[in-house]
PDB file of all heavy atoms in Angstrom:
ATOM      1  N   TYR A  26      -3.948  10.270   1.671  1.00  0.00           N
ATOM      2  CA  TYR A  26      -4.576  10.662   2.934  1.00  0.00           C
ATOM      3  C   TYR A  26      -3.603  11.498   3.757  1.00  0.00           C
ATOM      4  O   TYR A  26      -2.440  11.152   3.905  1.00  0.00           O
ATOM      5  CB  TYR A  26      -5.011   9.432   3.738  1.00  0.00           C
ATOM      6  CG  TYR A  26      -5.685   9.810   5.030  1.00  0.00           C
ATOM      7  CD1 TYR A  26      -7.000  10.241   5.040  1.00  0.00           C
ATOM      8  CD2 TYR A  26      -4.998   9.779   6.237  1.00  0.00           C
ATOM      9  CE1 TYR A  26      -7.623  10.630   6.222  1.00  0.00           C
ATOM     10  CE2 TYR A  26      -5.600  10.158   7.412  1.00  0.00           C
ATOM     11  CZ  TYR A  26      -6.921  10.587   7.401  1.00  0.00           C
ATOM     12  OH  TYR A  26      -7.525  10.971   8.568  1.00  0.00           O
ATOM     13  N   LYS A  27      -4.093  12.602   4.290  1.00  0.00           N
ATOM     14  CA  LYS A  27      -3.285  13.490   5.122  1.00  0.00           C
ATOM     15  C   LYS A  27      -3.706  13.356   6.584  1.00  0.00           C
ATOM     16  O   LYS A  27      -4.852  13.608   6.930  1.00  0.00           O
ATOM     17  CB  LYS A  27      -3.449  14.948   4.690  1.00  0.00           C
ATOM     18  CG  LYS A  27      -3.008  15.220   3.262  1.00  0.00           C
ATOM     19  CD  LYS A  27      -1.519  15.050   3.121  1.00  0.00           C
ATOM     20  CE  LYS A  27      -1.094  15.392   1.712  1.00  0.00           C
ATOM     21  NZ  LYS A  27      -0.118  14.498   1.170  1.00  0.00           N
ATOM     22  N   VAL A  28      -2.769  12.946   7.415  1.00  0.00           N
ATOM     23  CA  VAL A  28      -3.000  12.819   8.845  1.00  0.00           C
ATOM     24  C   VAL A  28      -3.096  14.216   9.446  1.00  0.00           C
ATOM     25  O   VAL A  28      -2.296  15.096   9.122  1.00  0.00           O
ATOM     26  CB  VAL A  28      -1.851  12.022   9.505  1.00  0.00           C
ATOM     27  CG1 VAL A  28      -1.944  12.052  11.008  1.00  0.00           C
ATOM     28  CG2 VAL A  28      -1.841  10.588   8.985  1.00  0.00           C
ATOM     29  N   SER A  29      -4.073  14.413  10.312  1.00  0.00           N
ATOM     30  CA  SER A  29      -4.247  15.706  10.972  1.00  0.00           C
ATOM     31  C   SER A  29      -3.365  15.785  12.218  1.00  0.00           C
ATOM     32  O   SER A  29      -3.086  14.761  12.853  1.00  0.00           O
ATOM     33  CB  SER A  29      -5.706  15.883  11.407  1.00  0.00           C
ATOM     34  OG  SER A  29      -6.562  15.890  10.293  1.00  0.00           O
ATOM     35  N   PRO A  30      -2.941  16.981  12.594  1.00  0.00           N
ATOM     36  CA  PRO A  30      -2.232  17.114  13.871  1.00  0.00           C
ATOM     37  C   PRO A  30      -3.174  16.749  15.011  1.00  0.00           C
ATOM     38  O   PRO A  30      -4.390  16.873  14.881  1.00  0.00           O
ATOM     39  CB  PRO A  30      -1.846  18.591  13.933  1.00  0.00           C
ATOM     40  CG  PRO A  30      -2.588  19.279  12.860  1.00  0.00           C
ATOM     41  CD  PRO A  30      -3.101  18.257  11.900  1.00  0.00           C
ATOM     42  N   VAL A  31      -2.609  16.272  16.096  1.00  0.00           N
ATOM     43  CA  VAL A  31      -3.423  15.909  17.253  1.00  0.00           C
ATOM     44  C   VAL A  31      -3.608  17.125  18.141  1.00  0.00           C
ATOM     45  O   VAL A  31      -2.760  18.026  18.179  1.00  0.00           O
ATOM     46  CB  VAL A  31      -2.796  14.731  18.059  1.00  0.00           C
ATOM     47  CG1 VAL A  31      -2.760  13.472  17.224  1.00  0.00           C
ATOM     48  CG2 VAL A  31      -1.417  15.072  18.567  1.00  0.00           C
ATOM     49  N   LYS A  32      -4.727  17.159  18.843  1.00  0.00           N
ATOM     50  CA  LYS A  32      -5.011  18.261  19.759  1.00  0.00           C
ATOM     51  C   LYS A  32      -4.192  18.052  21.033  1.00  0.00           C
ATOM     52  O   LYS A  32      -4.255  17.000  21.663  1.00  0.00           O
ATOM     53  CB  LYS A  32      -6.501  18.285  20.096  1.00  0.00           C
ATOM     54  CG  LYS A  32      -6.896  19.397  21.033  1.00  0.00           C
ATOM     55  CD  LYS A  32      -8.391  19.358  21.301  1.00  0.00           C
ATOM     56  CE  LYS A  32      -8.819  20.445  22.258  1.00  0.00           C
ATOM     57  NZ  LYS A  32     -10.255  20.367  22.536  1.00  0.00           N
ATOM     58  N   LYS A  33      -3.411  19.057  21.383  1.00  0.00           N
ATOM     59  CA  LYS A  33      -2.576  18.991  22.590  1.00  0.00           C
ATOM     60  C   LYS A  33      -3.423  19.384  23.798  1.00  0.00           C
ATOM     61  O   LYS A  33      -4.007  20.465  23.830  1.00  0.00           O
ATOM     62  CB  LYS A  33      -1.386  19.934  22.456  1.00  0.00           C
ATOM     63  CG  LYS A  33      -0.468  19.963  23.657  1.00  0.00           C
ATOM     64  CD  LYS A  33       0.664  20.946  23.409  1.00  0.00           C
ATOM     65  CE  LYS A  33       1.551  21.114  24.609  1.00  0.00           C
ATOM     66  NZ  LYS A  33       2.622  22.092  24.347  1.00  0.00           N
ATOM     67  N   VAL A  34      -3.499  18.478  24.762  1.00  0.00           N
ATOM     68  CA  VAL A  34      -4.241  18.728  25.993  1.00  0.00           C
ATOM     69  C   VAL A  34      -3.317  18.388  27.162  1.00  0.00           C
ATOM     70  O   VAL A  34      -2.698  17.330  27.173  1.00  0.00           O
ATOM     71  CB  VAL A  34      -5.520  17.855  26.058  1.00  0.00           C
ATOM     72  CG1 VAL A  34      -6.250  18.056  27.374  1.00  0.00           C
ATOM     73  CG2 VAL A  34      -6.433  18.147  24.885  1.00  0.00           C
ATOM     74  N   GLU A  35      -3.231  19.288  28.116  1.00  0.00           N
ATOM     75  CA  GLU A  35      -2.418  19.032  29.305  1.00  0.00           C
ATOM     76  C   GLU A  35      -3.350  18.733  30.465  1.00  0.00           C
ATOM     77  O   GLU A  35      -4.290  19.479  30.726  1.00  0.00           O
ATOM     78  CB  GLU A  35      -1.530  20.231  29.626  1.00  0.00           C
ATOM     79  CG  GLU A  35      -0.459  20.464  28.591  1.00  0.00           C
ATOM     80  CD  GLU A  35       0.499  21.584  28.951  1.00  0.00           C
ATOM     81  OE1 GLU A  35       0.333  22.219  30.016  1.00  0.00           O
ATOM     82  OE2 GLU A  35       1.429  21.807  28.170  1.00  0.00           O
ATOM     83  N   ILE A  36      -3.086  17.613  31.136  1.00  0.00           N
ATOM     84  CA  ILE A  36      -3.885  17.236  32.302  1.00  0.00           C
ATOM     85  C   ILE A  36      -2.984  17.204  33.530  1.00  0.00           C
ATOM     86  O   ILE A  36      -1.780  16.961  33.413  1.00  0.00           O
ATOM     87  CB  ILE A  36      -4.601  15.880  32.113  1.00  0.00           C
ATOM     88  CG1 ILE A  36      -3.592  14.753  31.893  1.00  0.00           C
ATOM     89  CG2 ILE A  36      -5.594  15.943  30.960  1.00  0.00           C
ATOM     90  CD1 ILE A  36      -4.197  13.365  31.954  1.00  0.00           C
ATOM     91  N   GLN A  37      -3.578  17.453  34.672  1.00  0.00           N
ATOM     92  CA  GLN A  37      -2.829  17.444  35.927  1.00  0.00           C
ATOM     93  C   GLN A  37      -2.557  16.008  36.363  1.00  0.00           C
ATOM     94  O   GLN A  37      -3.433  15.153  36.296  1.00  0.00           O
ATOM     95  CB  GLN A  37      -3.622  18.163  37.022  1.00  0.00           C
ATOM     96  CG  GLN A  37      -3.812  19.648  36.768  1.00  0.00           C
ATOM     97  CD  GLN A  37      -2.480  20.393  36.785  1.00  0.00           C
ATOM     98  OE1 GLN A  37      -1.623  20.166  37.619  1.00  0.00           O
ATOM     99  NE2 GLN A  37      -2.326  21.291  35.812  1.00  0.00           N
ATOM    100  N   LYS A  38      -1.324  15.748  36.805  1.00  0.00           N
ATOM    101  CA  LYS A  38      -0.978  14.460  37.393  1.00  0.00           C
ATOM    102  C   LYS A  38      -1.418  14.480  38.856  1.00  0.00           C
ATOM    103  O   LYS A  38      -1.430  15.548  39.484  1.00  0.00           O
ATOM    104  CB  LYS A  38       0.523  14.213  37.306  1.00  0.00           C
ATOM    105  CG  LYS A  38       1.026  13.956  35.914  1.00  0.00           C
ATOM    106  CD  LYS A  38       2.519  13.670  35.983  1.00  0.00           C
ATOM    107  CE  LYS A  38       3.089  13.327  34.645  1.00  0.00           C
ATOM    108  NZ  LYS A  38       4.528  13.010  34.737  1.00  0.00           N
TER     109      LYS A  38
END
Side-chain angles (χ1 to χ4, degrees):
Y26 181 78
K27 299 293 183 222
V28 171
S29 297
V31 296
K32 180 179 179 182
K33 179 181 175 181
V34 177
E35 292 185 359
I36 61 169
Q37 294 295 317
K38 290 182 177 182

